[in-house]
């Protein structure tokens, strides 16, 4: 359900100028539309309990995602209630996962393959862990949730997005869409020892598909970001296919001025 809208501090630095107005478009139910005034680049960014107002702006074609862009830091993860609630639910559900890892007899049927992958992955090098988790999650049932990405407009003219995040156990039981894939990879890699600060669920606009898309961004030792995608690819350097909109992990939210 959509919660009450909540305005958060604007990202530091100007987002855009009026000259960029023509760069802003919205895709709703497969139709390309001009952004209304409240979604024009240059206006104050809004973040709602249901999700972010997604702004599509110009970005360098060869831009690679960066974790060290301090000006993109927006606020604490708790400011997005739907995401914060999912993190808390996952924390509670980890007891089920831990019992499963300790004893196969404690696993419900749909968690047994997850147990096998996590135990197998524990002894692998990090790049092998990334590949293993990426391919494993991508094999799960894809279920598009049209509620997530459908913009709605309030009587006051503000945009809100219905948004729902999925825990790892819910994903294993029901499948999900690209946001759920990215979130499941995040939670699995946390179990394998990856630090929260080195991963973000990254919401993008896919230029090729002309649609919103989510991937998992992982920071590597050399500072580069690898993007784990739903087509089994791991994009290691050039990420020009995507315009970066916002990112979340358990510690924060980032609004990208791209």
């Amino acid at each position: 359900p959509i919660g009450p809208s909540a305005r958060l501090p604007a990202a530091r630095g100007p987002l855009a100028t009026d000259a960029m107005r023509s760069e802003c478009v919205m895709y709703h139910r497969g139709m390309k539309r001009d952004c209304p005034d409240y979604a024009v680049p240059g206006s104050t960014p809004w973040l709602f309990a249901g999700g972010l107002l997604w702004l599509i702006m110009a970005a360098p074609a060869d831009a690679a995602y960066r974790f060290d862009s301090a000006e993109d830091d927006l606020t604490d993860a708790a400011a997005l209630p739907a995401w914060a609630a999912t993190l808390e639910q996952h924390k509670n559900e980890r007891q089920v996962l831990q019992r499963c890892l300790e004893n196969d007899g404690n696993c419900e049927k749909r968690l047994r393959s997850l147990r096998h992958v996590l135990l197998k992955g524990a002894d692998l090098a990090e790049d092998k862990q990334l590949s293993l988790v990426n391919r494993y999650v991508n094999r799960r049932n894809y279920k598009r949730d049209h509620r997530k990405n459908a913009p709605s407009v309030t009587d006051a003219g503000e945009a809100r997005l219905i948004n729902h995040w999925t825990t790892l156990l819910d994903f294993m039981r029901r499948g999900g869409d690209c946001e759920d894939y990215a979130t499941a990879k995040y939670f699995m890699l946390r179990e394998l020892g990856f630090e929260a600060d080195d991963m973000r669920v990254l919401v993008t606009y896919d230029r090729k598909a002309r649609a919103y898309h989510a991937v998992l961004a992982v920071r590597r030792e050399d500072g580069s970001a690898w993007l784990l995608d739903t087509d089994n690819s791991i994009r290691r350097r050039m990420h020009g296919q995507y315009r970066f909109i916002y990112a979340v992990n358990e510690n924060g939210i980032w609004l990208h001025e791209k």
Side-chain angles (χ1 to χ4, degrees), residues 195-213:
E195 297 293 334
D197 287 339
D198 290 330
M199 297 190 294
R200 294 176 189 173
V201 176
L202 175 62
V203 176
T204 74
Y205 179 78
D206 187 331
R207 292 186 175 94
K208 292 184 179 179
R210 294 189 175 185
Y212 297 109
H213 185 53

Side-chain angles (χ1 to χ4, degrees), residues 141-145 148 166 171 174-178 180-181:
N141 181 43
Y142 187 89
K143 183 188 302 181
R144 184 170 181 79
D145 188 345
K148 288 186 178 180
T166 301
F171 178 79
R174 302 180 180 87
D177 64 10
C178 61
D180 304 320
Y181 277 47

